Amino acid sequence: MTSTSEKTVAADVVLECRGLSAGYAGAVVCRDLDITVRSGEVVALIGANGAGKSTTMLTVAGELAPISGEISVLGSSRRSSLSSLARRGLSYVTEERSVIMGLTGAENLRLAGVSADAACAIFPELRALLKRPAGLLSGGEQQMLTLARALAREPRLLLADELSLGLAPQIVQRLLAVVREAADRQGLGVLLVEQHVRQVLAVADRVYVLRRGAVMMEGTAAEIGADLDAVQRAYLAQGPTSTEQ
């Protein structure tokens, strides 16, 4: 018989990968991954370029078919498209900023079915920028718009791939703080790919460190933070044979 506490834990899981192997055209990039994300939890996936992080995210999002293993997203183990997962409560922020540059900030939000008020409640600084074309916004402002658009939909699971790419440290801090707040306030589960290790450790609950497509370390943010030398070795040991992130 399953106990009440066991049922609660099972219901709390918004993402679970078991023995996941993924890649392109049958070529394995990441293998035998066991990853779990629960509601209200920020989980970081870190590692050098080529470690398999983006391949993992694309597979979880339904953009790539797994080569082997199992994935359960928002309680369903059936393979679904990104659009189908989005309807069930998944938001995916890719490493490429997905704003439409020729549209204003307000038009970008409207196209996504998100109200300006909801977006500005997350990032108040967007209010003054809504009438500007997104292409004239700074990189940090574009990323705020992208993240606000994703969070205003009140998803149950957020996949965020390199929020910090090309941004100043203070902007990175702002973005990560908003992600942490959403997890705490909404019970949002988050899987976050990030290169700024120290900054992501400040907001993450748990961390998986990938090297050459496999998990070589995992633990709480405090545990991984206490062994940053090993994490650094994982980055240095990653071969320069691939540009995949």
Side-chain angles (χ1 to χ4, degrees):
M1 179 180 295
T2 304
S3 70
T4 302
S5 61
E6 286 172 332
K7 288 179 181 177
T8 301
V9 169
D12 202 31
V13 174
V14 291
L15 170 63
E16 186 169 27
C17 302
R18 288 286 171 259
L20 175 64
S21 294
Y24 305 86
V28 176
V29 173
C30 48
R31 59 192 181 280
D32 298 326
L33 301 182
D34 292 339
I35 294 172
T36 302
V37 179
R38 293 182 171 83
S39 298
E41 185 177 47
V42 177
V43 176
L45 192 61
I46 64 176
N49 289 343
K53 305 185 300 298
S54 288
T55 298
T56 301
M57 297 288 264
L58 287 167
T59 306
V60 169
E63 294 291 271
L64 290 176
I67 292 173
S68 62
E70 300 178 356
I71 306 176
S72 174
V73 181
L74 299 171
S76 175
S77 57
R78 184 179 63 186
R79 186 176 176 234
S80 303
S81 66
L82 177 55
S83 59
S84 174
L85 291 171
R87 287 192 293 272
R88 294 217 307 269
L90 172 72
S91 279
Y92 182 26
V93 177
T94 67
E95 62 182 331
E96 297 179 359
R97 291 177 198 122
S98 56
V99 295
I100 299 176
M101 300 298 182
L103 298 183
T104 66
E107 288 167 339
N108 269 276
L109 294 173
R110 190 158 54 246
L111 187 64
V114 170
S115 76
D117 285 343
C120 293
I122 297 167
F123 287 106
E125 50 267 64
L126 288 176
R127 181 72 66 184
L129 306 173
L130 292 177
K131 295 182 180 180
R132 293 187 195 174
L136 297 182
L137 302 181
S138 69
E141 290 165 346
Q142 289 176 7
Q143 199 67 312
M144 286 182 192
L145 180 63
T146 299
L147 185 56
R149 187 179 61 190
L151 294 178
R153 295 176 53 244
E154 297 189 350
R156 295 171 55 205
L157 173 63
L158 172 69
L159 306 179
D161 193 351
E162 295 285 13
L163 284 176
S164 68
L165 197 63
L167 301 180
Q170 59 267 37
I171 299 296
V172 176
Q173 222 170 18
R174 177 87 172 96
L175 295 167
L176 293 177
V178 165
V179 169
R180 178 71 261 176
E181 182 184 352
D184 292 338
R185 187 183 68 252
Q186 301 170 204
L188 174 69
V190 181
L191 183 62
L192 186 67
V193 165
E194 187 51 64
Q195 289 284 352
H196 287 257
V197 175
R198 291 185 185 275
Q199 293 213 37
V200 80
L201 288 177
V203 301
D205 297 292
R206 293 187 299 108
V207 181
Y208 295 92
V209 183
L210 291 190
R211 185 176 71 183
R212 300 182 187 276
V215 174
M216 57 83 64
M217 290 180 68
E218 63 178 286
T220 66
E223 289 167 344
I224 298 299
D227 201 3
L228 278 178
D229 286 345
V231 174
Q232 183 65 24
R233 287 196 298 273
Y235 275 74
L236 292 174
Q238 180 70 35
T241 57
S242 172
T243 58
E244 198 282 327
Q245 294 183 346

